[in-house]
Amino acid sequence: MAEITEVPSPFCGIGTDDLNIQVDGVALKVVKNGCAINTPAFEQVITDTLPRVEGKEVSLEVAVAKAAVLLKDTNQPLIGGCATDVNGMRALLALADRSGAVVDNMSFTGARNNFLALQDSGWMNTTLAEIKNRCDLLLVVGTDLESFSPRFFERYLWNEESMFLDDTSKREVIYLGKAPSGEASTSPNGQKAKVFECANADLPEVVAVLRALVKGNPIRVDFVGGIAVTDLQSIADKLKAATYSVVTWAAGALAFSQAELTVQTISEMVKDLNNRNTRSSGFPLGGKEGDQTANQVCGWTTGYPARTRFSSGYPEYDPYLNDANVLLANGEADTLVWVQAFNAKAVPPITTLPTIVVGRSGMTFTQEPDVFIPVGTPGIDHAGHAYRMDNVVAIRLKKLRESGLPSTFDVLNAIEQAL
Amino acid sequence: MLIKLTNGAVYDPASGVDGTKQDIYIQDGRIVNKPVGDDPVDKEFDLSGKVVMSGAIDMHTHIGGGKGNIARILLPEDHRQDPVARTDVTRSGCGHAMPSTFVTGYRYAEMGYTAGFEPAVLPINARQAHMEMADIPILDKGGYVLLGSDDYLLRMLTAKKDQKAINDYVAFTMQAAKAIGVKVVNPGGINAFKFNQRKLDLDEQNCHYGVTPRDILQVLATAVKEIGVSHPLHVHGCNLGVPGNVNTTLDTIQGIGGLPMHLTHIQFHSYGTEGDFKFSSGAAQIAEAVNKNKNITIDVGQILFGQTVTASGDNMRQHANHKFASPNKWVTMDIECDAGCGVVPFKYKDQNFVNALQWAIGLETFLLVEDPWRIFLTTDHPNGAPFTSYPHLIRLLMDRSFRNDVLSTIHPEAQKMTNLASIEREYSLQEIAIMTRAGAAKLIGLQDRGGLSAGNWADITVYTDNVDRQKMFEKPDYVFKDGQLVVVDGKVVSTKWGTTHVVKPDFDASLEKDLQKYFDRFMTMKLGNFKISDDEITEDGRGSLTIHPLNGEVA
């Protein structure tokens, strides 16, 4: 039995790399610094080791050959999931380029709220170490941060020391929209976060009023979305008075129509603050199951984020029309390849189309795919790279055990070569 | 396999050959002497009437790293103007201002370039820079690691750590980030912006650390020299784009006290405040200073008219310039107590007075600096213009009547503010070969590249001589990379993977104890996970590392 230290996690999005993991054969046990997300993700046991074609166990070669046959005579293959490491995405995009597929990351509909705002007006953002050392006011919009990232507060807000704050426990946390589900946001000296709840559907209005108050525009109502304008004024005043405020949100949590406009309002408010003689930064949350990784690698390979098609012979981006679910619903695809190396529970959508699943060992299906190839998990079964939520830092994933499972890259590259 | 290139006019400044007709032999990827025995020539190329140079080297081009990818994601409408389809030998992608990685490799090779160097590798983002460059086919690549606004260095300066300690930190960072040079961007200014300082002059203190840009330049230039890195400290100075910054730049040159220093995209740092619009050319003063101070090298960062996107580590200046964004969208980031970035799309217009004069200032600089070994041809891709505009730029330098024709079309007030029309100089082919080949290889400290004598790697470009230099340089007849024929008639015919050029200066290992404490207290990853291992470059079976000797050891 061996214990591996300083293990980085691709699961929690915040790039924790202080886990200790005991390895006993292929069994893993997180013995230090686990959390509700990382511990089960690392400890999940291997069940499948052999690929299946039509439910029957076959060799990898047979499964790859069958996948290639399915892809060869298609008019519009669709590659969904797209949840893997950098090398896995490289092979995925090479396969898509060769087969003329549509590529769609499974988290894109949420992330689209960010991309539309970014591509329309841009933003001023920051990264985790700046938050850890500078942030004196954290405004959390529409998101339950601790269920998203259980260790965010411990690692990046209530850290014992910071370079530029005398006492990190004096940082202020404000929730706007959703209330926190637990006590992680309560500071070590007992100071609770201020919470201003409203319905999701009211967030666009609430955020718009907050921005107006930051700019000093008059507001002629007393309440918006159930929140007193005087309370929003106090948030605006704190943002203006802070030395380095950070406004954070999870694009996927803003589950209402045209939430991109709310992301844009937040981002423009941050710009406004920086024009008022103080510093402020936005901080979009994400980084789970390879979402940032998919968008980064697709970005440098095609110029576009990971909702891009290759059916014309060159990449074409459309954040709506290339949605895998839309294509399936409209009968516009004729083969589905589902790639999910991190999460055995994230199974492909139910479809009558020929389906190839390149997935984490342990996936169970209500409808057995035509081809299932279990692959290793990046950061457990093989080394690799994954982006954390701040989209700047790529963490170096370690190989923890010898499972014999192939990597996503191995499998997709073999299928491409067989075409 | 023995390849013979017969009877071409060879321009090889590295060995002093200036247009002489010579045969070149290639074997096992390298240039070899004429075989003495009866080795049969497997393939011969008749290069009568052709011009032969080594593969061109872009010593400053933003081809890898986070800010470039932000620029890509930001501009889908730009990509849609220039889709690039897959072929039997090439991958699909996009072109224009910030091309996809694969298209970057193809288009550089199709202009005869065989190497490009990313000048702003943030230590914390170095993995991304290398991963992107790993997806650029054909080209060799490398990076200059960015220091000077990182809190660790500034803490060292405040704590009055000695030069030896700083040397160790610089050497450590070069190894950790797999770099071949060291860059500083708006020295200390990126850091100061995080403390809400909006400008930082050469002698202005960072409000938290009390350190000035001059202090930072001094210790970093000294460190680079003392640890023996061939490439001098690569400096993006203070006050980029600010009228009057010519004085800052002159002061920077004087202040470095004879230490080797490379001033990059100097065009953006050569502005005076004369004239009706309080914006004038400082190119003559800059050129005079460069001519006089042999320790100084520069690249120009020429602007050319049209749409592009600016991507810089200088978030302080990029934030100030966001009001010029066209289209009006922009990004800045504060990054990991390490650095920052700013991405602002720009459309340079010939009928805009400032843009037109910027264009003239760049050209004045090229033409007034006398020594082609100390000036380099760049547009600071994509900041002044996309790299695909190099053949046009070469024509502007080599063809005075063409240059003056273009000059006569720009904003009339800008024409009055430049002496460009009176400058007679036209660059020669040999001078172009120095700037884009031999000089660049020498400046970066590349062994066995940038020359055509036996022993060099066979990176070779063959052009058809043409008085229209733009036509000549945009479509080489042949390009060989490591002896493999990769381009014929300006089109990629085969691809391969280039190497990553690095240096590995030594440092005192005890430094890591203090760094480890710093990482555990203030950073967001473990020191061990921060350092990039050799495997990360080579494990995909395509990448390789080429370690170059330190100063004095180059053969």
Side-chain angles (χ1 to χ4, degrees), chain A residues 6-8 14-18 86-87 90 93-94 97-98 115 118-130 132-134 155-156 159 161-164 243-244 271 273-281 295-305 310 312-315 317-319 383-385 387-388 390-396 398 409 416, chain B residues 66 69-70 72-81 83-86 90-94 98-102 122 124-125 127-132 134-135 151-152 155 191 193-196 198 208-209 315 319 322 328-339 516 518-531 533 535-536 539-540 542:
Chain A
E6 299 191 356
V7 175
I14 57 173
T16 49
D17 69 343
D18 57 355
V86 167
N87 264 340
R90 283 174 165 150
L93 290 162
D97 195 15
R98 183 177 292 256
F115 283 113
L118 169 66
Q119 290 169 339
D120 192 53
S121 48
W123 53 30
M124 294 180 72
N125 284 349
T126 194
T127 69
L128 287 165
E130 301 291 353
K132 181 173 174 175
N133 289 289
R134 290 180 190 279
R155 276 176 67 90
Y156 304 121
N159 41 297
E161 284 185 283
S162 90
M163 280 193 272
F164 313 116
T243 303
Y244 194 97
K271 290 183 188 174
L273 285 163
N274 282 284
N275 286 334
R276 303 184 74 90
N277 199 30
T278 189
R279 287 304 322 275
S280 178
S281 282
N295 289 312
Q296 284 274 19
V297 182
C298 197
W300 75 63
T301 308
T302 70
Y304 305 112
F310 293 82
S312 300
Y314 50 83
Y317 164 64
D318 192 302
H385 294 99
Y387 280 86
R388 21 179 246 213
D390 53 25
N391 221 20
V392 168
V393 178
I395 50 175
R396 172 61 169 167
K398 292 180 180 176
F409 175 89
E416 192 214 335
Chain B
N69 225 25
I70 292 169
R72 290 190 185 100
I73 299 285
L74 189 65
L75 294 169
E77 67 275 20
D78 186 66
H79 311 326
R80 288 191 186 111
Q81 306 295 315
V84 179
R86 177 188 177 81
T90 58
R91 292 277 299 273
S92 70
C94 70
M98 190 69 203
S100 60
T101 50
F102 285 88
L122 278 55
I124 201 70
N125 187 244
R127 279 200 170 88
Q128 171 159 1
H130 287 296
M131 291 192 295
E132 286 188 35
D135 277 342
D151 288 286
Y152 190 81
R155 287 162 68 91
N191 186 284
F193 183 57
K194 297 172 188 175
F195 291 105
N196 201 30
R198 301 302 172 106
H208 180 80
Y209 291 105
N315 55 3
H319 182 260
H322 77 74
N328 183 17
K329 52 181 175 179
W330 50 277
V331 171
T332 64
M333 286 194 76
D334 298 330
I335 295 177
E336 283 301 277
C337 300
D338 194 34
Q516 186 151 4
Y518 173 80
F519 268 69
D520 286 342
R521 289 165 75 197
F522 302 125
M523 293 293 102
T524 58
M525 62 165 46
K526 296 288 183 187
L527 181 67
N529 290 329
F530 164 74
K531 294 186 278 186
S533 67
D535 292 356
E536 295 181 58
E539 71 192 355
D540 62 4
R542 311 187 314 203

Side-chain angles (χ1 to χ4, degrees), chain B residues 36-350:
Chain B
V36 280
D38 305 327
D39 279 5
V41 170
D42 298 286
K43 178 110 179 119
E44 183 171 2
F45 294 82
D46 178 7
L47 303 186
S48 306
K50 311 286 185 196
V51 167
V52 185
M53 296 184 183
S54 65
I57 298 165
D58 195 343
M59 49 70 66
H60 184 111
T61 173
H62 295 285
I63 54 173
K67 63 195 174 312
N69 225 25
I70 292 169
R72 290 190 185 100
I73 299 285
L74 189 65
L75 294 169
E77 67 275 20
D78 186 66
H79 311 326
R80 288 191 186 111
Q81 306 295 315
D82 191 9
V84 179
R86 177 188 177 81
T87 71
D88 288 344
V89 292
T90 58
R91 292 277 299 273
S92 70
C94 70
H96 195 60
M98 190 69 203
S100 60
T101 50
F102 285 88
V103 173
T104 298
Y106 305 143
R107 290 198 170 165
Y108 259 119
E110 287 174 348
M111 298 191 311
Y113 276 72
T114 52
F117 289 81
E118 164 59 51
V121 176
L122 278 55
I124 201 70
N125 187 244
R127 279 200 170 88
Q128 171 159 1
H130 287 296
M131 291 192 295
E132 286 188 35
M133 289 194 284
D135 277 342
I136 296 176
I138 302 175
L139 297 191
D140 284 358
K141 49 255 169 176
Y144 314 142
V145 71
L146 199 146
L147 288 169
S149 275
D150 50 312
D151 288 286
Y152 190 81
L153 178 74
L154 297 175
R155 287 162 68 91
M156 289 180 97
L157 293 182
T158 304
K160 307 272 183 237
K161 290 282 167 75
D162 62 17
Q163 184 69 44
K164 164 77 173 59
I166 286 163
N167 295 357
D168 284 335
Y169 173 58
V170 171
F172 163 85
T173 309
M174 291 190 81
Q175 287 221 23
K178 297 269 183 282
I180 194 163
V182 179
K183 166 101 173 282
V184 58
V185 170
N186 187 352
I190 302 167
N191 186 284
F193 183 57
K194 297 172 188 175
F195 291 105
N196 201 30
Q197 286 175 276
R198 301 302 172 106
K199 70 172 212 10
L200 199 69
D201 285 325
L202 192 57
D203 291 308
E204 196 170 349
Q205 289 189 352
N206 176 301
C207 64
H208 180 80
Y209 291 105
V211 171
T212 68
R214 192 188 293 277
D215 301 334
I216 295 166
L217 289 170
Q218 187 68 37
V219 296
L220 286 179
T222 304
V224 168
K225 179 163 188 273
E226 290 188 356
I227 62 181
V229 175
S230 296
H231 186 43
L233 180 65
H234 195 100
V235 176
H236 156 147
C238 313
N239 291 330
L240 179 141
V242 179
N245 63 12
V246 60
N247 292 322
T248 315
T249 307
L250 293 170
D251 203 359
T252 304
I253 293 172
Q254 287 313 313
I256 207 66
L259 285 167
M261 179 169 66
H262 179 85
L263 293 171
T264 191
H265 44 67
I266 201 159
Q267 178 275 130
F268 291 110
H269 303 266
S270 303
Y271 304 148
T273 53
E274 289 161 25
D276 293 346
F277 299 101
K278 307 288 175 223
F279 183 74
S280 58
S281 172
Q285 290 160 276
I286 294 292
E288 188 189 353
V290 172
N291 289 337
K292 204 181 293 171
N293 293 278
K294 310 293 183 204
N295 57 315
I296 302 296
T297 54
I298 63 169
D299 67 270
V300 172
Q302 177 68 36
I303 73 134
L304 294 161
F305 304 118
Q307 176 71 56
T308 193
V309 57
T310 66
S312 171
D314 193 345
N315 55 3
M316 173 188 270
R317 292 301 314 148
Q318 289 292 79
H319 182 260
N321 284 331
H322 77 74
K323 53 182 179 290
F324 304 113
S326 177
N328 183 17
K329 52 181 175 179
W330 50 277
V331 171
T332 64
M333 286 194 76
D334 298 330
I335 295 177
E336 283 301 277
C337 300
D338 194 34
C341 77
V343 178
V344 183
F346 258 66
K347 190 167 188 178
Y348 295 107
K349 297 177 183 144
D350 59 359

Side-chain angles (χ1 to χ4, degrees), chain A residues 251-269:
Chain A
L254 306 180
F256 47 87
S257 172
Q258 295 185 313
E260 70 273 15
L261 297 176
T262 300
V263 174
Q264 186 167 43
T265 307
I266 293 169
S267 300
E268 293 298 297
M269 178 181 77

Side-chain angles (χ1 to χ4, degrees), chain A residues 330-346:
Chain A
N330 293 348
E332 292 175 47
D334 58 3
T335 313
L336 174 66
V337 182
W338 184 256
V339 179
Q340 182 29 295
F342 291 115
N343 184 354
K345 295 201 177 77

Side-chain angles (χ1 to χ4, degrees), chain B residues 435-452:
Chain B
M435 273 206 297
T436 58
R437 275 88 171 166
K442 182 174 172 225
L443 179 78
I444 301 166
L446 297 178
Q447 204 175 31
D448 302 338
R449 303 273 175 187
L452 293 173

Side-chain angles (χ1 to χ4, degrees), chain B residues 12 14-15 31-32 451-457:
Chain B
D12 181 22
S15 31
I31 296 168
V32 294
L452 293 173
S453 55
N456 277 290
W457 285 97

